[in-house]
Amino acid sequence: MTAPHVLIAGGGIGGLSVALTLQQIGVPCTVFEAVRDLKPLGVGINLQPNAVRELFDLGIDAGMLDRVGLPAREWALVGLNGREIHAEPRGLEAGYNWPQYAVHRGAFHMLLHETFVARAGPEAFRTGCRATGYRNDPGGVTLLYDGPDGPAEAKGTLLIAADGIHSALRAQMHPDQPPIHWGGALMWRGTTRARAIRTGASFIGLGSGALRMVIYPISRPGSDGLSEINWIAERVFDASHGWQKSGWFKPVAIQSFAPYFNDFRYDWLDVPALLQGADIAYENPMIDRDPVPTWVDGHVALMGDAAHAMYPTGSNGASQALIDARTLGAKMLAHGVTPGALDAYDAELCGPVSALILRNREDGPFGLLREVDTRCGGVFDDIDDVIPAAERAAFMARYKSAAGFARDALNAAPARIAPASRIT
């Protein structure tokens, strides 16, 4: 009998999370990554406690994560007049058994890559190989890809499509899917060396439903007292504005969008100064894809953005990719390296995560900003007169439950993959 071998199309955070999981449980795999030379691209992302738990179970510990970010201590929403709408502790300080981390996306990606190559060997990660399609065969699958020397094929037992929002494999699986969905929001991302505010490790959403900032540090303070502060500036336009005209992660001048935020000045934060302190900003649309009824076709399964690209309003994209990966590993332990494992993965996650995609279109946890805007125009003296504390807490609890990181449920849940579990 031929030993199982899993093919993974895409070597981003999702693909590497699958690869590390399979290596851990003893399933040989090969990653096919489109990019020839990996670079630490991107800015900040958050890893929720449910995802950090899975990283710890993979042997990626706090010391390793501290090299690429820092534990988050607080999550806060602030209205247009600079007054607090809602604040709560996060991670260990909120009673979770695991921290929440704010990390530099590119540095975190490189950490996963280096860890996988060290464990599985460099031959298990192939660059310059862009997935173009697949073929379900009797007892296995063939990945079609454009490699360094032209069109090529690879045969395996299963194929995991982790090739992102523009996934060619998803397009083959769902040829009638609608185009990418854009709801009208543009985001400008950057980082600035500055002093961290509030707790020094706070995630802050500031503004309204139509115009807001997200601000949080992704490094500890240096000897100068300054941290690398990740920021996202967002404005909602009429959807007819047309995101296709804006490009993808296009470098833009700070002054092209900073005037929208000229009034975001408070005694505790000067947003215009924060923006002007950045060397460069990148513009990109806030986009997702409509949910599909299944992520599986025979020996092929979608995961990560290929399965469920979603608005980044809940800081849940990378975290969900990690949950996908670990769930795939758990199902293979239960069902073998078989299509049955993929079906069990699909049955557990496709429906709930599809609902999360649509919830994030309604601003996810930032929906509180929109609600305050609706009730009082974003300006208030006492937030309890606008939205009572119990209503705010219930709103946040519903989102955490939907996103899979409700504290008590997560703390009580057994590990997805028990220590030392191996495919026999």
Side-chain angles (χ1 to χ4, degrees), residues 296-332:
V296 170
D297 175 19
H299 293 77
V300 184
L302 309 176
M303 65 88 62
D305 280 353
H308 50 67
M310 64 183 75
Y311 284 5
T313 52
S315 302
N316 208 51
S319 294
Q320 187 58 54
L322 271 156
I323 300 304
D324 294 353
R326 302 296 285 170
T327 303
L328 280 163
K331 299 309 182 187
M332 289 186 202

PDB file of all heavy atoms in Angstrom, residues 296-332:
ATOM      1  N   VAL A 296     -15.477  21.160  -0.069  1.00  0.00           N
ATOM      2  CA  VAL A 296     -14.860  19.879  -0.416  1.00  0.00           C
ATOM      3  C   VAL A 296     -15.371  19.370  -1.756  1.00  0.00           C
ATOM      4  O   VAL A 296     -16.558  19.487  -2.077  1.00  0.00           O
ATOM      5  CB  VAL A 296     -15.129  18.840   0.692  1.00  0.00           C
ATOM      6  CG1 VAL A 296     -14.719  17.437   0.252  1.00  0.00           C
ATOM      7  CG2 VAL A 296     -14.385  19.214   1.966  1.00  0.00           C
ATOM      8  N   ASP A 297     -14.442  18.820  -2.542  1.00  0.00           N
ATOM      9  CA  ASP A 297     -14.774  18.116  -3.781  1.00  0.00           C
ATOM     10  C   ASP A 297     -13.889  16.878  -3.846  1.00  0.00           C
ATOM     11  O   ASP A 297     -12.709  16.962  -4.217  1.00  0.00           O
ATOM     12  CB  ASP A 297     -14.535  19.016  -4.990  1.00  0.00           C
ATOM     13  CG  ASP A 297     -14.756  18.296  -6.324  1.00  0.00           C
ATOM     14  OD1 ASP A 297     -15.433  17.245  -6.328  1.00  0.00           O
ATOM     15  OD2 ASP A 297     -14.238  18.771  -7.353  1.00  0.00           O
ATOM     16  N   GLY A 298     -14.439  15.741  -3.437  1.00  0.00           N
ATOM     17  CA  GLY A 298     -13.668  14.496  -3.482  1.00  0.00           C
ATOM     18  C   GLY A 298     -12.452  14.530  -2.585  1.00  0.00           C
ATOM     19  O   GLY A 298     -12.560  14.598  -1.366  1.00  0.00           O
ATOM     20  N   HIS A 299     -11.273  14.525  -3.189  1.00  0.00           N
ATOM     21  CA  HIS A 299     -10.005  14.501  -2.452  1.00  0.00           C
ATOM     22  C   HIS A 299      -9.439  15.901  -2.221  1.00  0.00           C
ATOM     23  O   HIS A 299      -8.271  16.033  -1.832  1.00  0.00           O
ATOM     24  CB  HIS A 299      -8.970  13.658  -3.214  1.00  0.00           C
ATOM     25  CG  HIS A 299      -9.291  12.209  -3.284  1.00  0.00           C
ATOM     26  ND1 HIS A 299     -10.230  11.686  -4.148  1.00  0.00           N
ATOM     27  CD2 HIS A 299      -8.815  11.136  -2.580  1.00  0.00           C
ATOM     28  CE1 HIS A 299     -10.303  10.381  -3.991  1.00  0.00           C
ATOM     29  NE2 HIS A 299      -9.467  10.015  -3.048  1.00  0.00           N
ATOM     30  N   VAL A 300     -10.243  16.938  -2.442  1.00  0.00           N
ATOM     31  CA  VAL A 300      -9.772  18.324  -2.362  1.00  0.00           C
ATOM     32  C   VAL A 300     -10.592  19.098  -1.327  1.00  0.00           C
ATOM     33  O   VAL A 300     -11.826  18.987  -1.301  1.00  0.00           O
ATOM     34  CB  VAL A 300      -9.892  19.029  -3.733  1.00  0.00           C
ATOM     35  CG1 VAL A 300      -9.303  20.438  -3.669  1.00  0.00           C
ATOM     36  CG2 VAL A 300      -9.222  18.205  -4.820  1.00  0.00           C
ATOM     37  N   ALA A 301      -9.916  19.877  -0.494  1.00  0.00           N
ATOM     38  CA  ALA A 301     -10.600  20.729   0.488  1.00  0.00           C
ATOM     39  C   ALA A 301     -10.019  22.130   0.454  1.00  0.00           C
ATOM     40  O   ALA A 301      -8.797  22.320   0.360  1.00  0.00           O
ATOM     41  CB  ALA A 301     -10.463  20.153   1.895  1.00  0.00           C
ATOM     42  N   LEU A 302     -10.895  23.118   0.535  1.00  0.00           N
ATOM     43  CA  LEU A 302     -10.489  24.512   0.671  1.00  0.00           C
ATOM     44  C   LEU A 302     -10.253  24.834   2.144  1.00  0.00           C
ATOM     45  O   LEU A 302     -10.888  24.259   3.033  1.00  0.00           O
ATOM     46  CB  LEU A 302     -11.583  25.445   0.141  1.00  0.00           C
ATOM     47  CG  LEU A 302     -12.144  25.184  -1.254  1.00  0.00           C
ATOM     48  CD1 LEU A 302     -13.287  26.156  -1.547  1.00  0.00           C
ATOM     49  CD2 LEU A 302     -11.053  25.302  -2.299  1.00  0.00           C
ATOM     50  N   MET A 303      -9.361  25.784   2.407  1.00  0.00           N
ATOM     51  CA  MET A 303      -9.172  26.283   3.763  1.00  0.00           C
ATOM     52  C   MET A 303      -8.663  27.713   3.699  1.00  0.00           C
ATOM     53  O   MET A 303      -8.264  28.203   2.642  1.00  0.00           O
ATOM     54  CB  MET A 303      -8.221  25.389   4.556  1.00  0.00           C
ATOM     55  CG  MET A 303      -6.794  25.321   4.063  1.00  0.00           C
ATOM     56  SD  MET A 303      -5.708  26.603   4.755  1.00  0.00           S
ATOM     57  CE  MET A 303      -5.792  26.196   6.494  1.00  0.00           C
ATOM     58  N   GLY A 304      -8.668  28.399   4.843  1.00  0.00           N
ATOM     59  CA  GLY A 304      -8.193  29.772   4.896  1.00  0.00           C
ATOM     60  C   GLY A 304      -9.000  30.664   3.979  1.00  0.00           C
ATOM     61  O   GLY A 304     -10.204  30.477   3.779  1.00  0.00           O
ATOM     62  N   ASP A 305      -8.350  31.671   3.401  1.00  0.00           N
ATOM     63  CA  ASP A 305      -9.061  32.620   2.538  1.00  0.00           C
ATOM     64  C   ASP A 305      -9.641  31.963   1.294  1.00  0.00           C
ATOM     65  O   ASP A 305     -10.598  32.478   0.716  1.00  0.00           O
ATOM     66  CB  ASP A 305      -8.124  33.756   2.127  1.00  0.00           C
ATOM     67  CG  ASP A 305      -7.976  34.813   3.205  1.00  0.00           C
ATOM     68  OD1 ASP A 305      -8.696  34.733   4.210  1.00  0.00           O
ATOM     69  OD2 ASP A 305      -7.138  35.719   3.046  1.00  0.00           O
ATOM     70  N   ALA A 306      -9.096  30.849   0.856  1.00  0.00           N
ATOM     71  CA  ALA A 306      -9.682  30.147  -0.283  1.00  0.00           C
ATOM     72  C   ALA A 306     -11.078  29.641   0.057  1.00  0.00           C
ATOM     73  O   ALA A 306     -11.948  29.540  -0.810  1.00  0.00           O
ATOM     74  CB  ALA A 306      -8.794  28.984  -0.704  1.00  0.00           C
ATOM     75  N   ALA A 307     -11.306  29.336   1.335  1.00  0.00           N
ATOM     76  CA  ALA A 307     -12.604  28.845   1.779  1.00  0.00           C
ATOM     77  C   ALA A 307     -13.511  29.961   2.249  1.00  0.00           C
ATOM     78  O   ALA A 307     -14.712  29.959   1.984  1.00  0.00           O
ATOM     79  CB  ALA A 307     -12.416  27.828   2.911  1.00  0.00           C
ATOM     80  N   HIS A 308     -12.947  30.939   2.985  1.00  0.00           N
ATOM     81  CA  HIS A 308     -13.804  31.882   3.714  1.00  0.00           C
ATOM     82  C   HIS A 308     -13.162  33.261   3.867  1.00  0.00           C
ATOM     83  O   HIS A 308     -13.077  33.792   4.969  1.00  0.00           O
ATOM     84  CB  HIS A 308     -14.142  31.321   5.098  1.00  0.00           C
ATOM     85  CG  HIS A 308     -12.927  30.843   5.866  1.00  0.00           C
ATOM     86  ND1 HIS A 308     -11.948  31.678   6.329  1.00  0.00           N
ATOM     87  CD2 HIS A 308     -12.545  29.585   6.218  1.00  0.00           C
ATOM     88  CE1 HIS A 308     -11.021  30.978   6.951  1.00  0.00           C
ATOM     89  NE2 HIS A 308     -11.357  29.694   6.893  1.00  0.00           N
ATOM     90  N   ALA A 309     -12.710  33.838   2.775  1.00  0.00           N
ATOM     91  CA  ALA A 309     -12.193  35.207   2.866  1.00  0.00           C
ATOM     92  C   ALA A 309     -13.255  36.093   3.501  1.00  0.00           C
ATOM     93  O   ALA A 309     -14.416  36.087   3.095  1.00  0.00           O
ATOM     94  CB  ALA A 309     -11.839  35.725   1.481  1.00  0.00           C
ATOM     95  N   MET A 310     -12.865  36.851   4.526  1.00  0.00           N
ATOM     96  CA  MET A 310     -13.836  37.658   5.262  1.00  0.00           C
ATOM     97  C   MET A 310     -13.260  39.024   5.594  1.00  0.00           C
ATOM     98  O   MET A 310     -12.039  39.223   5.588  1.00  0.00           O
ATOM     99  CB  MET A 310     -14.271  36.942   6.544  1.00  0.00           C
ATOM    100  CG  MET A 310     -13.176  36.724   7.564  1.00  0.00           C
ATOM    101  SD  MET A 310     -13.756  35.791   9.024  1.00  0.00           S
ATOM    102  CE  MET A 310     -13.870  34.121   8.385  1.00  0.00           C
ATOM    103  N   TYR A 311     -14.168  39.980   5.844  1.00  0.00           N
ATOM    104  CA  TYR A 311     -13.728  41.305   6.266  1.00  0.00           C
ATOM    105  C   TYR A 311     -12.881  41.173   7.537  1.00  0.00           C
ATOM    106  O   TYR A 311     -13.209  40.379   8.431  1.00  0.00           O
ATOM    107  CB  TYR A 311     -14.924  42.194   6.586  1.00  0.00           C
ATOM    108  CG  TYR A 311     -15.685  42.742   5.400  1.00  0.00           C
ATOM    109  CD1 TYR A 311     -15.391  42.373   4.095  1.00  0.00           C
ATOM    110  CD2 TYR A 311     -16.723  43.657   5.594  1.00  0.00           C
ATOM    111  CE1 TYR A 311     -16.099  42.889   3.028  1.00  0.00           C
ATOM    112  CE2 TYR A 311     -17.437  44.183   4.536  1.00  0.00           C
ATOM    113  CZ  TYR A 311     -17.127  43.793   3.247  1.00  0.00           C
ATOM    114  OH  TYR A 311     -17.834  44.309   2.202  1.00  0.00           O
ATOM    115  N   PRO A 312     -11.820  41.978   7.662  1.00  0.00           N
ATOM    116  CA  PRO A 312     -10.963  41.886   8.844  1.00  0.00           C
ATOM    117  C   PRO A 312     -11.505  42.638  10.046  1.00  0.00           C
ATOM    118  O   PRO A 312     -10.760  43.129  10.878  1.00  0.00           O
ATOM    119  CB  PRO A 312      -9.652  42.509   8.344  1.00  0.00           C
ATOM    120  CG  PRO A 312     -10.084  43.528   7.347  1.00  0.00           C
ATOM    121  CD  PRO A 312     -11.282  42.922   6.657  1.00  0.00           C
ATOM    122  N   THR A 313     -12.834  42.762  10.152  1.00  0.00           N
ATOM    123  CA  THR A 313     -13.414  43.546  11.234  1.00  0.00           C
ATOM    124  C   THR A 313     -13.353  42.837  12.582  1.00  0.00           C
ATOM    125  O   THR A 313     -13.484  43.481  13.616  1.00  0.00           O
ATOM    126  CB  THR A 313     -14.878  43.892  10.929  1.00  0.00           C
ATOM    127  OG1 THR A 313     -15.574  42.689  10.601  1.00  0.00           O
ATOM    128  CG2 THR A 313     -14.976  44.844   9.751  1.00  0.00           C
ATOM    129  N   GLY A 314     -13.163  41.521  12.578  1.00  0.00           N
ATOM    130  CA  GLY A 314     -13.113  40.800  13.844  1.00  0.00           C
ATOM    131  C   GLY A 314     -11.744  40.264  14.191  1.00  0.00           C
ATOM    132  O   GLY A 314     -11.611  39.487  15.131  1.00  0.00           O
ATOM    133  N   SER A 315     -10.716  40.683  13.450  1.00  0.00           N
ATOM    134  CA  SER A 315      -9.355  40.168  13.665  1.00  0.00           C
ATOM    135  C   SER A 315      -9.384  38.649  13.699  1.00  0.00           C
ATOM    136  O   SER A 315      -8.796  38.015  14.573  1.00  0.00           O
ATOM    137  CB  SER A 315      -8.778  40.725  14.970  1.00  0.00           C
ATOM    138  OG  SER A 315      -8.764  42.123  14.968  1.00  0.00           O
ATOM    139  N   ASN A 316     -10.072  38.040  12.740  1.00  0.00           N
ATOM    140  CA  ASN A 316     -10.325  36.613  12.830  1.00  0.00           C
ATOM    141  C   ASN A 316      -9.829  35.813  11.632  1.00  0.00           C
ATOM    142  O   ASN A 316      -9.950  34.593  11.621  1.00  0.00           O
ATOM    143  CB  ASN A 316     -11.837  36.367  12.990  1.00  0.00           C
ATOM    144  CG  ASN A 316     -12.140  35.101  13.736  1.00  0.00           C
ATOM    145  OD1 ASN A 316     -11.609  34.880  14.818  1.00  0.00           O
ATOM    146  ND2 ASN A 316     -12.963  34.249  13.154  1.00  0.00           N
ATOM    147  N   GLY A 317      -9.267  36.467  10.600  1.00  0.00           N
ATOM    148  CA  GLY A 317      -8.870  35.741   9.403  1.00  0.00           C
ATOM    149  C   GLY A 317      -7.770  34.729   9.643  1.00  0.00           C
ATOM    150  O   GLY A 317      -7.913  33.541   9.346  1.00  0.00           O
ATOM    151  N   ALA A 318      -6.628  35.173  10.183  1.00  0.00           N
ATOM    152  CA  ALA A 318      -5.515  34.258  10.442  1.00  0.00           C
ATOM    153  C   ALA A 318      -5.885  33.241  11.516  1.00  0.00           C
ATOM    154  O   ALA A 318      -5.512  32.074  11.439  1.00  0.00           O
ATOM    155  CB  ALA A 318      -4.280  35.042  10.862  1.00  0.00           C
ATOM    156  N   SER A 319      -6.637  33.691  12.517  1.00  0.00           N
ATOM    157  CA  SER A 319      -7.043  32.774  13.585  1.00  0.00           C
ATOM    158  C   SER A 319      -7.897  31.642  13.026  1.00  0.00           C
ATOM    159  O   SER A 319      -7.710  30.474  13.368  1.00  0.00           O
ATOM    160  CB  SER A 319      -7.822  33.531  14.670  1.00  0.00           C
ATOM    161  OG  SER A 319      -6.995  34.466  15.327  1.00  0.00           O
ATOM    162  N   GLN A 320      -8.836  31.973  12.133  1.00  0.00           N
ATOM    163  CA  GLN A 320      -9.697  30.937  11.576  1.00  0.00           C
ATOM    164  C   GLN A 320      -8.905  29.982  10.690  1.00  0.00           C
ATOM    165  O   GLN A 320      -9.190  28.783  10.658  1.00  0.00           O
ATOM    166  CB  GLN A 320     -10.850  31.553  10.790  1.00  0.00           C
ATOM    167  CG  GLN A 320     -11.884  30.543  10.313  1.00  0.00           C
ATOM    168  CD  GLN A 320     -12.495  29.748  11.448  1.00  0.00           C
ATOM    169  OE1 GLN A 320     -13.001  30.331  12.409  1.00  0.00           O
ATOM    170  NE2 GLN A 320     -12.457  28.427  11.354  1.00  0.00           N
ATOM    171  N   ALA A 321      -7.904  30.492   9.982  1.00  0.00           N
ATOM    172  CA  ALA A 321      -7.065  29.609   9.171  1.00  0.00           C
ATOM    173  C   ALA A 321      -6.361  28.574  10.053  1.00  0.00           C
ATOM    174  O   ALA A 321      -6.230  27.399   9.680  1.00  0.00           O
ATOM    175  CB  ALA A 321      -6.054  30.419   8.374  1.00  0.00           C
ATOM    176  N   LEU A 322      -5.900  29.005  11.220  1.00  0.00           N
ATOM    177  CA  LEU A 322      -5.275  28.065  12.148  1.00  0.00           C
ATOM    178  C   LEU A 322      -6.274  27.033  12.645  1.00  0.00           C
ATOM    179  O   LEU A 322      -5.952  25.840  12.756  1.00  0.00           O
ATOM    180  CB  LEU A 322      -4.675  28.834  13.331  1.00  0.00           C
ATOM    181  CG  LEU A 322      -3.236  29.301  13.142  1.00  0.00           C
ATOM    182  CD1 LEU A 322      -2.927  30.492  14.028  1.00  0.00           C
ATOM    183  CD2 LEU A 322      -2.282  28.145  13.443  1.00  0.00           C
ATOM    184  N   ILE A 323      -7.495  27.464  12.938  1.00  0.00           N
ATOM    185  CA  ILE A 323      -8.528  26.517  13.377  1.00  0.00           C
ATOM    186  C   ILE A 323      -8.838  25.531  12.247  1.00  0.00           C
ATOM    187  O   ILE A 323      -9.013  24.326  12.490  1.00  0.00           O
ATOM    188  CB  ILE A 323      -9.789  27.262  13.823  1.00  0.00           C
ATOM    189  CG1 ILE A 323      -9.476  28.204  14.986  1.00  0.00           C
ATOM    190  CG2 ILE A 323     -10.893  26.284  14.199  1.00  0.00           C
ATOM    191  CD1 ILE A 323      -8.839  27.560  16.183  1.00  0.00           C
ATOM    192  N   ASP A 324      -8.921  26.021  11.010  1.00  0.00           N
ATOM    193  CA  ASP A 324      -9.112  25.126   9.866  1.00  0.00           C
ATOM    194  C   ASP A 324      -8.042  24.030   9.860  1.00  0.00           C
ATOM    195  O   ASP A 324      -8.336  22.837   9.704  1.00  0.00           O
ATOM    196  CB  ASP A 324      -8.996  25.890   8.541  1.00  0.00           C
ATOM    197  CG  ASP A 324     -10.089  26.907   8.298  1.00  0.00           C
ATOM    198  OD1 ASP A 324     -11.052  26.972   9.091  1.00  0.00           O
ATOM    199  OD2 ASP A 324      -9.972  27.646   7.309  1.00  0.00           O
ATOM    200  N   ALA A 325      -6.796  24.463   9.982  1.00  0.00           N
ATOM    201  CA  ALA A 325      -5.674  23.530   9.879  1.00  0.00           C
ATOM    202  C   ALA A 325      -5.734  22.465  10.957  1.00  0.00           C
ATOM    203  O   ALA A 325      -5.553  21.261  10.687  1.00  0.00           O
ATOM    204  CB  ALA A 325      -4.359  24.305   9.966  1.00  0.00           C
ATOM    205  N   ARG A 326      -6.001  22.891  12.174  1.00  0.00           N
ATOM    206  CA  ARG A 326      -6.017  21.942  13.287  1.00  0.00           C
ATOM    207  C   ARG A 326      -7.226  21.007  13.206  1.00  0.00           C
ATOM    208  O   ARG A 326      -7.146  19.837  13.583  1.00  0.00           O
ATOM    209  CB  ARG A 326      -5.990  22.704  14.600  1.00  0.00           C
ATOM    210  CG  ARG A 326      -4.777  23.615  14.757  1.00  0.00           C
ATOM    211  CD  ARG A 326      -3.485  22.843  14.802  1.00  0.00           C
ATOM    212  NE  ARG A 326      -3.331  22.185  16.095  1.00  0.00           N
ATOM    213  CZ  ARG A 326      -2.399  21.287  16.373  1.00  0.00           C
ATOM    214  NH1 ARG A 326      -1.554  20.895  15.423  1.00  0.00           N
ATOM    215  NH2 ARG A 326      -2.318  20.753  17.571  1.00  0.00           N
ATOM    216  N   THR A 327      -8.347  21.540  12.695  1.00  0.00           N
ATOM    217  CA  THR A 327      -9.521  20.695  12.507  1.00  0.00           C
ATOM    218  C   THR A 327      -9.259  19.642  11.436  1.00  0.00           C
ATOM    219  O   THR A 327      -9.636  18.472  11.592  1.00  0.00           O
ATOM    220  CB  THR A 327     -10.744  21.552  12.148  1.00  0.00           C
ATOM    221  OG1 THR A 327     -10.956  22.523  13.177  1.00  0.00           O
ATOM    222  CG2 THR A 327     -11.989  20.691  12.002  1.00  0.00           C
ATOM    223  N   LEU A 328      -8.588  20.023  10.357  1.00  0.00           N
ATOM    224  CA  LEU A 328      -8.211  19.047   9.339  1.00  0.00           C
ATOM    225  C   LEU A 328      -7.348  17.941   9.934  1.00  0.00           C
ATOM    226  O   LEU A 328      -7.557  16.742   9.668  1.00  0.00           O
ATOM    227  CB  LEU A 328      -7.466  19.739   8.197  1.00  0.00           C
ATOM    228  CG  LEU A 328      -8.324  20.459   7.162  1.00  0.00           C
ATOM    229  CD1 LEU A 328      -7.473  21.423   6.345  1.00  0.00           C
ATOM    230  CD2 LEU A 328      -9.018  19.456   6.242  1.00  0.00           C
ATOM    231  N   GLY A 329      -6.381  18.327  10.751  1.00  0.00           N
ATOM    232  CA  GLY A 329      -5.523  17.327  11.383  1.00  0.00           C
ATOM    233  C   GLY A 329      -6.310  16.401  12.291  1.00  0.00           C
ATOM    234  O   GLY A 329      -6.108  15.171  12.283  1.00  0.00           O
ATOM    235  N   ALA A 330      -7.228  16.972  13.078  1.00  0.00           N
ATOM    236  CA  ALA A 330      -8.030  16.147  13.984  1.00  0.00           C
ATOM    237  C   ALA A 330      -8.907  15.170  13.219  1.00  0.00           C
ATOM    238  O   ALA A 330      -9.073  14.003  13.624  1.00  0.00           O
ATOM    239  CB  ALA A 330      -8.888  17.052  14.870  1.00  0.00           C
ATOM    240  N   LYS A 331      -9.477  15.628  12.112  1.00  0.00           N
ATOM    241  CA  LYS A 331     -10.341  14.739  11.333  1.00  0.00           C
ATOM    242  C   LYS A 331      -9.533  13.629  10.657  1.00  0.00           C
ATOM    243  O   LYS A 331     -10.021  12.508  10.483  1.00  0.00           O
ATOM    244  CB  LYS A 331     -11.124  15.538  10.286  1.00  0.00           C
ATOM    245  CG  LYS A 331     -12.043  16.594  10.880  1.00  0.00           C
ATOM    246  CD  LYS A 331     -12.949  16.063  11.974  1.00  0.00           C
ATOM    247  CE  LYS A 331     -13.875  17.153  12.506  1.00  0.00           C
ATOM    248  NZ  LYS A 331     -14.646  16.698  13.699  1.00  0.00           N
ATOM    249  N   MET A 332      -8.293  13.919  10.263  1.00  0.00           N
ATOM    250  CA  MET A 332      -7.460  12.851   9.704  1.00  0.00           C
ATOM    251  C   MET A 332      -7.096  11.831  10.771  1.00  0.00           C
ATOM    252  O   MET A 332      -7.026  10.624  10.497  1.00  0.00           O
ATOM    253  CB  MET A 332      -6.209  13.436   9.057  1.00  0.00           C
ATOM    254  CG  MET A 332      -6.498  14.192   7.769  1.00  0.00           C
ATOM    255  SD  MET A 332      -4.986  14.714   6.925  1.00  0.00           S
ATOM    256  CE  MET A 332      -5.622  16.062   5.921  1.00  0.00           C
TER     257      MET A 332
END
